[in-house]
Short mmCIF file of all heavy atoms in Angstrom, two decimals:
data_model
loop_
_atom_site.label_atom_id
_atom_site.label_comp_id
_atom_site.label_asym_id
_atom_site.label_seq_id
_atom_site.Cartn_x
_atom_site.Cartn_y
_atom_site.Cartn_z
N TYR A 15 -120.73 -16.72 89.06
CA TYR A 15 -120.58 -16.36 87.64
C TYR A 15 -120.30 -14.79 87.62
O TYR A 15 -121.03 -14.09 88.21
CB TYR A 15 -121.78 -16.59 86.82
CG TYR A 15 -122.03 -18.14 86.55
CD1 TYR A 15 -123.12 -18.76 87.20
CD2 TYR A 15 -121.18 -18.80 85.75
CE1 TYR A 15 -123.41 -20.09 87.03
CE2 TYR A 15 -121.50 -20.20 85.52
CZ TYR A 15 -122.46 -20.80 86.18
OH TYR A 15 -122.72 -22.10 85.92
N ASN A 53 -123.93 -29.77 86.57
CA ASN A 53 -122.62 -29.59 85.67
C ASN A 53 -121.42 -29.86 86.47
O ASN A 53 -120.40 -30.39 86.03
CB ASN A 53 -122.68 -28.22 85.00
CG ASN A 53 -123.77 -28.12 83.97
OD1 ASN A 53 -124.25 -29.10 83.45
ND2 ASN A 53 -124.20 -26.90 83.75
N LEU A 58 -118.30 -31.02 84.29
CA LEU A 58 -118.25 -30.15 83.09
C LEU A 58 -117.90 -28.82 83.52
O LEU A 58 -117.42 -28.02 82.72
CB LEU A 58 -119.56 -30.12 82.41
CG LEU A 58 -120.14 -31.54 81.92
CD1 LEU A 58 -121.59 -31.35 81.45
CD2 LEU A 58 -119.29 -31.94 80.77
N ASP A 59 -117.94 -28.48 84.74
CA ASP A 59 -117.71 -27.13 85.22
C ASP A 59 -116.93 -27.21 86.61
O ASP A 59 -117.08 -28.27 87.21
CB ASP A 59 -118.95 -26.41 85.42
CG ASP A 59 -118.81 -24.88 85.19
OD1 ASP A 59 -117.67 -24.45 85.08
OD2 ASP A 59 -119.94 -24.24 85.13
N LYS A 78 -107.06 -31.06 83.53
CA LYS A 78 -108.07 -31.06 82.56
C LYS A 78 -108.27 -32.52 81.93
O LYS A 78 -109.34 -32.99 81.75
CB LYS A 78 -107.81 -30.12 81.40
CG LYS A 78 -108.51 -28.79 81.52
CD LYS A 78 -108.14 -27.88 80.35
CE LYS A 78 -109.43 -26.88 80.02
NZ LYS A 78 -109.01 -26.20 78.77
N ASP A 79 -107.04 -33.05 81.54
CA ASP A 79 -107.11 -34.34 80.88
C ASP A 79 -107.49 -35.46 81.78
O ASP A 79 -108.30 -36.35 81.30
CB ASP A 79 -105.71 -34.71 80.26
CG ASP A 79 -105.40 -33.81 79.11
OD1 ASP A 79 -106.21 -33.08 78.61
OD2 ASP A 79 -104.11 -33.99 78.59
N ALA A 82 -111.21 -35.25 81.99
CA ALA A 82 -111.82 -35.73 80.86
C ALA A 82 -111.87 -37.26 80.90
O ALA A 82 -112.93 -37.88 80.43
CB ALA A 82 -111.06 -35.41 79.61
N LYS A 83 -110.93 -37.87 81.31
CA LYS A 83 -110.74 -39.38 81.51
C LYS A 83 -111.86 -39.72 82.49
O LYS A 83 -112.47 -40.77 82.30
CB LYS A 83 -109.34 -39.76 81.99
CG LYS A 83 -109.20 -41.28 81.93
CD LYS A 83 -107.72 -41.58 82.23
CE LYS A 83 -107.59 -43.06 82.44
NZ LYS A 83 -106.30 -43.42 82.95
N ARG A 85 -114.65 -38.18 83.09
CA ARG A 85 -116.00 -38.18 82.42
C ARG A 85 -116.20 -39.35 81.52
O ARG A 85 -117.26 -39.85 81.41
CB ARG A 85 -116.00 -36.93 81.59
CG ARG A 85 -116.26 -35.61 82.37
CD ARG A 85 -116.71 -34.49 81.44
NE ARG A 85 -115.81 -34.07 80.56
CZ ARG A 85 -114.89 -33.04 80.62
NH1 ARG A 85 -114.89 -32.37 81.77
NH2 ARG A 85 -114.04 -32.87 79.72
N ASN A 86 -115.11 -39.71 80.88
CA ASN A 86 -115.21 -40.78 79.94
C ASN A 86 -115.46 -42.12 80.60
O ASN A 86 -116.14 -43.06 80.05
CB ASN A 86 -113.89 -40.85 79.15
CG ASN A 86 -113.92 -41.90 78.02
OD1 ASN A 86 -113.17 -42.90 77.97
ND2 ASN A 86 -114.79 -41.73 77.07
N PHE A 91 -123.78 -38.70 80.98
CA PHE A 91 -124.51 -37.46 81.13
C PHE A 91 -125.64 -37.53 80.14
O PHE A 91 -125.46 -37.89 78.98
CB PHE A 91 -123.61 -36.32 80.78
CG PHE A 91 -123.87 -35.11 81.55
CD1 PHE A 91 -122.99 -34.78 82.73
CD2 PHE A 91 -124.94 -34.39 81.44
CE1 PHE A 91 -123.27 -33.71 83.52
CE2 PHE A 91 -125.20 -33.21 82.22
CZ PHE A 91 -124.41 -32.88 83.31
N PHE A 93 -128.76 -35.11 78.49
CA PHE A 93 -129.20 -33.61 78.45
C PHE A 93 -130.64 -33.54 78.15
O PHE A 93 -131.16 -34.43 77.38
CB PHE A 93 -128.38 -32.94 77.29
CG PHE A 93 -126.86 -33.07 77.55
CD1 PHE A 93 -126.13 -34.15 77.00
CD2 PHE A 93 -126.10 -32.13 78.28
CE1 PHE A 93 -124.76 -34.26 77.22
CE2 PHE A 93 -124.76 -32.29 78.47
CZ PHE A 93 -124.10 -33.38 77.94
N ALA A 95 -131.75 -31.55 75.85
CA ALA A 95 -131.85 -31.51 74.48
C ALA A 95 -131.13 -32.62 73.69
O ALA A 95 -130.84 -32.51 72.51
CB ALA A 95 -131.27 -30.10 73.94
N ASN A 97 -128.66 -33.87 72.59
CA ASN A 97 -127.35 -33.60 72.09
C ASN A 97 -126.79 -34.88 71.39
O ASN A 97 -125.68 -35.36 71.60
CB ASN A 97 -126.42 -33.30 73.23
CG ASN A 97 -126.47 -31.78 73.64
OD1 ASN A 97 -127.18 -31.06 72.87
ND2 ASN A 97 -125.94 -31.42 74.70
N LEU A 98 -127.52 -35.38 70.44
CA LEU A 98 -127.02 -36.48 69.56
C LEU A 98 -126.37 -35.76 68.35
O LEU A 98 -126.74 -34.73 67.96
CB LEU A 98 -128.15 -37.36 69.08
CG LEU A 98 -129.00 -38.09 70.24
CD1 LEU A 98 -130.01 -38.97 69.60
CD2 LEU A 98 -128.04 -39.03 71.11
N LEU A 99 -125.39 -36.45 67.81
CA LEU A 99 -124.72 -35.98 66.58
C LEU A 99 -125.74 -36.20 65.39
O LEU A 99 -126.19 -37.33 65.22
CB LEU A 99 -123.44 -36.77 66.29
CG LEU A 99 -122.30 -36.48 67.15
CD1 LEU A 99 -121.01 -37.16 66.59
CD2 LEU A 99 -122.02 -35.03 67.34
N ALA A 100 -125.92 -35.10 64.70
CA ALA A 100 -126.81 -35.23 63.51
C ALA A 100 -126.23 -36.06 62.42
O ALA A 100 -125.04 -36.27 62.38
CB ALA A 100 -127.13 -33.93 63.03
N ARG A 101 -127.05 -36.59 61.63
CA ARG A 101 -126.63 -37.51 60.49
C ARG A 101 -125.61 -38.57 60.88
O ARG A 101 -124.73 -38.90 60.15
CB ARG A 101 -125.97 -36.58 59.39
CG ARG A 101 -126.97 -36.03 58.43
CD ARG A 101 -126.42 -34.83 57.67
NE ARG A 101 -126.35 -33.62 58.57
CZ ARG A 101 -125.70 -32.57 58.29
NH1 ARG A 101 -124.94 -32.54 57.18
NH2 ARG A 101 -125.70 -31.56 59.05
N THR A 102 -125.82 -39.06 62.12
CA THR A 102 -125.02 -40.11 62.70
C THR A 102 -126.04 -41.19 63.22
O THR A 102 -126.92 -40.76 63.98
CB THR A 102 -124.08 -39.55 63.78
OG1 THR A 102 -123.38 -38.50 63.17
CG2 THR A 102 -123.15 -40.62 64.27
N GLU A 106 -123.78 -45.44 66.15
CA GLU A 106 -122.61 -44.55 66.18
C GLU A 106 -122.59 -43.55 67.33
O GLU A 106 -121.54 -43.24 67.83
CB GLU A 106 -122.37 -43.95 64.80
CG GLU A 106 -121.94 -44.93 63.74
CD GLU A 106 -121.86 -44.36 62.30
OE1 GLU A 106 -122.22 -43.20 62.25
OE2 GLU A 106 -121.58 -45.03 61.43
N GLU A 109 -121.74 -45.42 70.42
CA GLU A 109 -120.45 -45.87 70.31
C GLU A 109 -119.41 -44.74 70.83
O GLU A 109 -118.35 -44.99 71.26
CB GLU A 109 -119.89 -46.23 68.93
CG GLU A 109 -120.29 -47.67 68.66
CD GLU A 109 -119.71 -47.98 67.21
OE1 GLU A 109 -120.04 -47.24 66.26
OE2 GLU A 109 -119.09 -48.89 67.10
N LEU A 110 -119.83 -43.52 70.56
CA LEU A 110 -118.90 -42.31 70.64
C LEU A 110 -118.06 -42.28 71.91
O LEU A 110 -116.84 -42.06 71.75
CB LEU A 110 -119.88 -41.07 70.57
CG LEU A 110 -119.12 -39.83 69.90
CD1 LEU A 110 -118.63 -40.21 68.49
CD2 LEU A 110 -120.14 -38.74 69.74
N PRO A 111 -118.66 -42.45 73.11
CA PRO A 111 -117.67 -42.35 74.35
C PRO A 111 -116.54 -43.23 74.22
O PRO A 111 -115.47 -43.05 74.73
CB PRO A 111 -118.62 -42.61 75.48
CG PRO A 111 -120.08 -42.34 74.97
CD PRO A 111 -120.03 -42.64 73.49
N LEU A 112 -116.84 -44.54 73.61
CA LEU A 112 -115.89 -45.49 73.62
C LEU A 112 -114.70 -45.19 72.73
O LEU A 112 -113.58 -45.76 72.82
CB LEU A 112 -116.42 -46.92 73.25
CG LEU A 112 -117.61 -47.28 74.30
CD1 LEU A 112 -118.09 -48.66 73.84
CD2 LEU A 112 -117.04 -47.44 75.70
N PHE A 113 -115.00 -44.39 71.74
CA PHE A 113 -113.82 -43.95 70.87
C PHE A 113 -112.77 -43.19 71.64
O PHE A 113 -111.63 -43.19 71.23
CB PHE A 113 -114.41 -42.99 69.79
CG PHE A 113 -114.87 -43.60 68.54
CD1 PHE A 113 -116.28 -43.74 68.24
CD2 PHE A 113 -114.00 -44.23 67.67
CE1 PHE A 113 -116.68 -44.36 67.03
CE2 PHE A 113 -114.38 -44.89 66.56
CZ PHE A 113 -115.73 -44.96 66.19
N TYR A 114 -113.18 -42.53 72.72
CA TYR A 114 -112.20 -41.75 73.42
C TYR A 114 -111.59 -42.57 74.55
O TYR A 114 -110.77 -42.05 75.40
CB TYR A 114 -112.97 -40.55 74.05
CG TYR A 114 -113.32 -39.59 73.03
CD1 TYR A 114 -114.66 -39.53 72.56
CD2 TYR A 114 -112.35 -38.70 72.42
CE1 TYR A 114 -114.95 -38.64 71.47
CE2 TYR A 114 -112.69 -37.90 71.41
CZ TYR A 114 -114.05 -37.78 70.96
OH TYR A 114 -114.34 -36.93 69.89
N ASN A 115 -111.90 -43.90 74.64
CA ASN A 115 -111.23 -44.74 75.56
C ASN A 115 -110.24 -45.69 74.73
O ASN A 115 -110.65 -46.61 74.06
CB ASN A 115 -112.23 -45.54 76.23
CG ASN A 115 -111.60 -46.38 77.40
OD1 ASN A 115 -110.39 -46.66 77.43
ND2 ASN A 115 -112.45 -46.91 78.37
N PRO A 116 -108.87 -45.45 74.86
CA PRO A 116 -107.96 -46.22 74.13
C PRO A 116 -107.90 -47.68 74.44
O PRO A 116 -107.51 -48.51 73.63
CB PRO A 116 -106.63 -45.49 74.45
CG PRO A 116 -106.89 -44.82 75.74
CD PRO A 116 -108.32 -44.51 75.73
N VAL A 118 -110.59 -49.67 74.68
CA VAL A 118 -111.62 -50.36 74.11
C VAL A 118 -111.29 -50.72 72.66
O VAL A 118 -111.00 -49.77 71.88
CB VAL A 118 -113.05 -49.60 74.20
CG1 VAL A 118 -114.10 -50.42 73.59
CG2 VAL A 118 -113.32 -49.27 75.66
N SER A 120 -112.16 -52.05 68.77
CA SER A 120 -113.34 -51.72 67.97
C SER A 120 -114.47 -52.82 68.01
O SER A 120 -115.61 -52.52 67.95
CB SER A 120 -112.93 -51.53 66.48
OG SER A 120 -112.40 -52.68 65.90
N ARG A 123 -116.25 -52.38 71.15
CA ARG A 123 -117.04 -51.12 71.10
C ARG A 123 -118.43 -51.31 70.59
O ARG A 123 -119.37 -50.80 71.11
CB ARG A 123 -116.22 -50.09 70.25
CG ARG A 123 -116.90 -48.71 70.26
CD ARG A 123 -115.92 -47.71 69.50
NE ARG A 123 -115.76 -48.13 68.10
CZ ARG A 123 -114.63 -48.04 67.48
NH1 ARG A 123 -113.52 -47.79 68.16
NH2 ARG A 123 -114.49 -48.45 66.20
N ARG A 159 -126.13 -43.97 75.39
CA ARG A 159 -124.83 -43.42 75.24
C ARG A 159 -124.17 -43.20 76.68
O ARG A 159 -122.99 -43.48 76.78
CB ARG A 159 -124.84 -42.10 74.41
CG ARG A 159 -123.55 -41.46 74.22
CD ARG A 159 -123.63 -40.17 73.42
NE ARG A 159 -124.40 -39.18 74.17
CZ ARG A 159 -124.94 -38.07 73.67
NH1 ARG A 159 -124.77 -37.91 72.39
NH2 ARG A 159 -125.63 -37.22 74.30
N MET B 1 -106.68 -41.45 72.51
CA MET B 1 -107.33 -42.04 71.29
C MET B 1 -106.28 -42.47 70.32
O MET B 1 -105.42 -41.71 69.97
CB MET B 1 -108.20 -40.83 70.74
CG MET B 1 -109.15 -41.45 69.65
SD MET B 1 -110.41 -40.36 69.25
CE MET B 1 -109.62 -38.78 69.14
N ASN B 2 -106.51 -43.59 69.76
CA ASN B 2 -105.51 -44.09 68.84
C ASN B 2 -105.89 -43.49 67.43
O ASN B 2 -106.88 -42.92 67.13
CB ASN B 2 -105.37 -45.60 68.81
CG ASN B 2 -106.71 -46.25 68.38
OD1 ASN B 2 -107.33 -45.72 67.47
ND2 ASN B 2 -106.95 -47.34 69.02
N ASN B 5 -108.92 -44.68 65.26
CA ASN B 5 -110.12 -44.01 65.75
C ASN B 5 -110.13 -42.59 65.26
O ASN B 5 -111.30 -42.13 64.84
CB ASN B 5 -110.24 -44.07 67.32
CG ASN B 5 -110.66 -45.37 67.80
OD1 ASN B 5 -110.99 -46.21 66.98
ND2 ASN B 5 -110.66 -45.56 69.10
N ARG B 8 -111.00 -42.32 61.76
CA ARG B 8 -112.45 -42.74 61.54
C ARG B 8 -113.43 -41.63 61.99
O ARG B 8 -114.35 -41.25 61.20
CB ARG B 8 -112.74 -43.99 62.40
CG ARG B 8 -113.85 -44.87 61.67
CD ARG B 8 -113.80 -46.23 62.30
NE ARG B 8 -112.50 -46.87 62.15
CZ ARG B 8 -112.24 -48.03 62.85
NH1 ARG B 8 -113.14 -48.58 63.65
NH2 ARG B 8 -111.02 -48.65 62.73
N ILE B 9 -113.12 -41.04 63.07
CA ILE B 9 -113.96 -40.01 63.50
C ILE B 9 -113.91 -38.71 62.61
O ILE B 9 -114.96 -38.13 62.22
CB ILE B 9 -113.62 -39.43 64.95
CG1 ILE B 9 -114.03 -40.46 66.00
CG2 ILE B 9 -114.17 -38.09 65.32
CD1 ILE B 9 -113.60 -40.15 67.46
N ARG B 12 -115.83 -39.57 59.43
CA ARG B 12 -117.28 -39.57 59.59
C ARG B 12 -117.70 -38.11 59.61
O ARG B 12 -118.77 -37.79 59.01
CB ARG B 12 -117.58 -40.26 60.92
CG ARG B 12 -117.75 -41.73 60.81
CD ARG B 12 -118.12 -42.31 62.10
NE ARG B 12 -118.12 -43.75 62.02
CZ ARG B 12 -118.37 -44.53 63.02
NH1 ARG B 12 -118.67 -44.01 64.24
NH2 ARG B 12 -118.30 -45.86 62.88
N ARG B 16 -120.35 -36.42 56.97
CA ARG B 16 -121.57 -35.73 57.34
C ARG B 16 -121.80 -34.40 56.61
O ARG B 16 -122.93 -33.95 56.54
CB ARG B 16 -121.62 -35.59 58.85
CG ARG B 16 -122.38 -36.56 59.50
CD ARG B 16 -122.55 -36.28 61.03
NE ARG B 16 -121.39 -36.66 61.66
CZ ARG B 16 -120.76 -35.86 62.58
NH1 ARG B 16 -121.29 -34.72 62.91
NH2 ARG B 16 -119.73 -36.39 63.15
N ASN B 17 -120.76 -33.81 56.10
CA ASN B 17 -120.82 -32.52 55.37
C ASN B 17 -120.10 -32.79 54.02
O ASN B 17 -119.09 -32.01 53.72
CB ASN B 17 -120.10 -31.47 56.19
CG ASN B 17 -121.10 -30.92 57.26
OD1 ASN B 17 -122.13 -30.45 56.89
ND2 ASN B 17 -120.69 -31.06 58.48
N ARG B 312 -121.30 -26.99 69.73
CA ARG B 312 -122.08 -27.88 70.67
C ARG B 312 -121.60 -29.32 70.48
O ARG B 312 -121.53 -29.99 71.39
CB ARG B 312 -123.57 -27.74 70.35
CG ARG B 312 -124.23 -26.52 70.89
CD ARG B 312 -125.60 -26.30 70.38
NE ARG B 312 -126.52 -27.39 70.87
CZ ARG B 312 -127.22 -27.22 71.96
NH1 ARG B 312 -127.15 -26.19 72.64
NH2 ARG B 312 -127.99 -28.31 72.25
N GLU B 313 -121.28 -29.75 69.25
CA GLU B 313 -120.73 -30.96 69.09
C GLU B 313 -119.36 -31.13 69.82
O GLU B 313 -119.22 -32.21 70.44
CB GLU B 313 -120.45 -31.29 67.55
CG GLU B 313 -119.79 -32.66 67.26
CD GLU B 313 -119.24 -32.88 65.91
OE1 GLU B 313 -119.87 -32.27 64.92
OE2 GLU B 313 -118.21 -33.43 65.68
N GLY B 315 -118.66 -29.59 72.46
CA GLY B 315 -118.98 -29.64 73.91
C GLY B 315 -119.41 -31.04 74.23
O GLY B 315 -119.05 -31.55 75.25
N LEU B 316 -120.19 -31.66 73.40
CA LEU B 316 -120.73 -32.93 73.56
C LEU B 316 -119.45 -33.97 73.68
O LEU B 316 -119.45 -34.78 74.67
CB LEU B 316 -121.62 -33.47 72.56
CG LEU B 316 -121.98 -34.96 72.78
CD1 LEU B 316 -123.03 -35.10 73.78
CD2 LEU B 316 -122.32 -35.50 71.42
N ARG B 317 -118.61 -33.84 72.73
CA ARG B 317 -117.43 -34.80 72.65
C ARG B 317 -116.65 -34.58 73.94
O ARG B 317 -116.16 -35.61 74.51
CB ARG B 317 -116.60 -34.43 71.44
CG ARG B 317 -117.22 -34.99 70.13
CD ARG B 317 -116.27 -34.62 69.03
NE ARG B 317 -116.98 -35.04 67.68
CZ ARG B 317 -117.08 -36.25 67.23
NH1 ARG B 317 -116.53 -37.30 67.90
NH2 ARG B 317 -117.63 -36.51 66.06
N MET B 318 -116.48 -33.37 74.39
CA MET B 318 -115.78 -33.18 75.67
C MET B 318 -116.54 -33.71 76.84
O MET B 318 -115.94 -34.37 77.72
CB MET B 318 -115.54 -31.67 75.88
CG MET B 318 -114.40 -31.08 75.02
SD MET B 318 -114.28 -29.36 75.16
CE MET B 318 -112.62 -29.16 74.52
N SER B 319 -117.87 -33.60 76.87
CA SER B 319 -118.69 -34.15 77.92
C SER B 319 -118.56 -35.65 78.08
O SER B 319 -118.85 -36.21 79.18
CB SER B 319 -120.11 -33.64 77.90
OG SER B 319 -120.79 -34.42 76.89
N ILE B 320 -118.37 -36.29 77.02
CA ILE B 320 -118.28 -37.77 77.03
C ILE B 320 -116.84 -38.26 77.14
O ILE B 320 -116.51 -39.45 76.94
CB ILE B 320 -118.94 -38.47 75.86
CG1 ILE B 320 -118.36 -37.92 74.58
CG2 ILE B 320 -120.50 -38.21 75.99
CD1 ILE B 320 -118.89 -38.78 73.43
N GLY B 321 -115.87 -37.32 77.38
CA GLY B 321 -114.47 -37.74 77.66
C GLY B 321 -113.42 -37.22 76.61
O GLY B 321 -112.27 -37.62 76.78
N GLY B 322 -113.88 -36.53 75.64
CA GLY B 322 -112.86 -36.02 74.61
C GLY B 322 -111.97 -34.94 75.36
O GLY B 322 -112.45 -34.07 76.01
N ARG B 323 -110.64 -35.15 75.18
CA ARG B 323 -109.75 -34.21 75.80
C ARG B 323 -109.51 -33.09 74.79
O ARG B 323 -109.73 -33.33 73.59
CB ARG B 323 -108.40 -34.80 76.26
CG ARG B 323 -108.48 -35.82 77.27
CD ARG B 323 -107.25 -36.81 77.31
NE ARG B 323 -107.11 -37.38 75.97
CZ ARG B 323 -106.07 -38.15 75.76
NH1 ARG B 323 -105.03 -38.23 76.62
NH2 ARG B 323 -105.90 -38.72 74.59
N GLY B 324 -108.98 -32.01 75.30
CA GLY B 324 -108.60 -30.93 74.37
C GLY B 324 -107.78 -31.37 73.13
O GLY B 324 -108.09 -31.07 72.06
N LYS B 325 -106.82 -32.25 73.44
CA LYS B 325 -105.93 -32.73 72.41
C LYS B 325 -106.65 -33.65 71.40
O LYS B 325 -106.29 -33.70 70.27
CB LYS B 325 -104.69 -33.25 72.90
CG LYS B 325 -104.78 -34.41 73.94
CD LYS B 325 -103.44 -34.83 74.43
CE LYS B 325 -103.34 -34.69 75.91
NZ LYS B 325 -102.24 -35.19 76.60
N ASP B 326 -107.67 -34.36 71.99
CA ASP B 326 -108.39 -35.26 71.02
C ASP B 326 -109.15 -34.38 70.06
O ASP B 326 -109.27 -34.70 68.79
CB ASP B 326 -109.42 -36.06 71.72
CG ASP B 326 -108.71 -37.07 72.62
OD1 ASP B 326 -107.70 -37.54 72.28
OD2 ASP B 326 -109.29 -37.31 73.76
N ILE B 327 -109.78 -33.22 70.51
CA ILE B 327 -110.47 -32.32 69.65
C ILE B 327 -109.58 -31.67 68.72
O ILE B 327 -109.87 -31.60 67.48
CB ILE B 327 -111.23 -31.24 70.48
CG1 ILE B 327 -112.07 -31.91 71.58
CG2 ILE B 327 -112.00 -30.29 69.59
CD1 ILE B 327 -113.25 -32.70 71.05
N GLN B 330 -108.64 -34.13 66.07
CA GLN B 330 -109.81 -34.43 65.14
C GLN B 330 -109.89 -33.30 64.06
O GLN B 330 -109.95 -33.62 62.87
CB GLN B 330 -111.09 -34.47 65.85
CG GLN B 330 -112.17 -34.82 64.95
CD GLN B 330 -113.61 -34.61 65.56
OE1 GLN B 330 -113.72 -34.75 66.74
NE2 GLN B 330 -114.52 -34.25 64.78
N ALA B 395 -110.08 -26.74 70.58
CA ALA B 395 -109.51 -27.55 71.72
C ALA B 395 -109.55 -26.78 73.06
O ALA B 395 -109.64 -27.30 74.17
CB ALA B 395 -108.07 -27.94 71.36
N ASN B 396 -109.50 -25.40 72.95
CA ASN B 396 -109.43 -24.59 74.11
C ASN B 396 -110.75 -24.31 74.78
O ASN B 396 -110.83 -23.53 75.72
CB ASN B 396 -108.61 -23.31 73.86
CG ASN B 396 -107.17 -23.66 73.86
OD1 ASN B 396 -106.66 -24.69 74.32
ND2 ASN B 396 -106.43 -22.73 73.25
N LEU B 397 -111.80 -24.77 74.08
CA LEU B 397 -113.16 -24.40 74.67
C LEU B 397 -113.35 -25.10 75.97
O LEU B 397 -112.85 -26.15 76.11
CB LEU B 397 -114.17 -24.84 73.53
CG LEU B 397 -114.35 -24.04 72.38
CD1 LEU B 397 -115.25 -24.82 71.31
CD2 LEU B 397 -114.88 -22.64 72.63
N ASN B 398 -114.16 -24.56 76.77
CA ASN B 398 -114.49 -25.09 78.01
C ASN B 398 -115.76 -25.96 77.66
O ASN B 398 -116.68 -25.60 76.96
CB ASN B 398 -114.93 -23.90 78.89
CG ASN B 398 -114.74 -24.26 80.35
OD1 ASN B 398 -114.19 -25.38 80.69
ND2 ASN B 398 -115.26 -23.46 81.29
N PRO B 399 -115.82 -27.18 78.24
CA PRO B 399 -116.93 -28.10 77.81
C PRO B 399 -118.32 -27.46 78.03
O PRO B 399 -119.15 -27.50 77.10
CB PRO B 399 -116.75 -29.30 78.78
CG PRO B 399 -115.57 -29.16 79.55
CD PRO B 399 -114.87 -27.83 79.15
N ILE B 400 -118.53 -26.85 79.23
CA ILE B 400 -119.85 -26.38 79.50
C ILE B 400 -120.25 -25.12 78.61
O ILE B 400 -121.33 -24.96 78.14
CB ILE B 400 -120.03 -26.05 80.97
CG1 ILE B 400 -121.50 -25.86 81.27
CG2 ILE B 400 -119.23 -24.88 81.49
CD1 ILE B 400 -122.36 -27.17 81.13
N LEU B 403 -121.13 -26.44 75.20
CA LEU B 403 -122.42 -27.16 75.17
C LEU B 403 -123.58 -26.08 75.17
O LEU B 403 -124.62 -26.26 74.63
CB LEU B 403 -122.55 -27.99 76.45
CG LEU B 403 -122.09 -29.44 76.32
CD1 LEU B 403 -122.14 -30.03 77.65
CD2 LEU B 403 -123.02 -30.23 75.37
N ARG B 404 -123.26 -24.93 75.90
CA ARG B 404 -124.25 -23.92 75.92
C ARG B 404 -124.33 -22.98 74.77
O ARG B 404 -125.21 -22.17 74.64
CB ARG B 404 -124.05 -23.05 77.19
CG ARG B 404 -124.48 -23.74 78.39
CD ARG B 404 -125.12 -22.74 79.39
NE ARG B 404 -125.19 -23.25 80.75
CZ ARG B 404 -124.23 -23.01 81.74
NH1 ARG B 404 -123.25 -22.20 81.37
NH2 ARG B 404 -124.39 -23.48 82.89
#
Side-chain angles (χ1 to χ4, degrees):
Chain A
Y15 290 111
N53 290 336
L58 296 174
D59 212 351
K78 266 185 153 183
D79 286 356
K83 191 173 168 189
R85 283 198 296 266
N86 184 242
F91 220 103
F93 305 90
N97 281 349
L98 299 178
L99 289 190
R101 274 162 285 166
T102 305
E106 285 170 358
E109 276 182 306
L110 212 55
L112 302 181
F113 270 111
Y114 292 100
N115 186 344
V118 180
S120 65
R123 181 173 66 225
R159 183 179 62 196
Chain B
M1 189 162 44
N2 62 38
N5 278 358
R8 212 165 301 170
I9 285 180
R12 279 182 185 178
R16 258 186 282 134
N17 278 300
R312 282 170 66 94
E313 177 192 325
L316 172 78
R317 287 181 184 279
M318 287 176 157
S319 76
I320 59 172
R323 295 164 301 173
K325 56 184 118 172
D326 294 325
I327 306 295
Q330 182 193 331
N396 283 343
L397 286 170
N398 207 8
I400 194 67
L403 272 170
R404 283 220 195 96

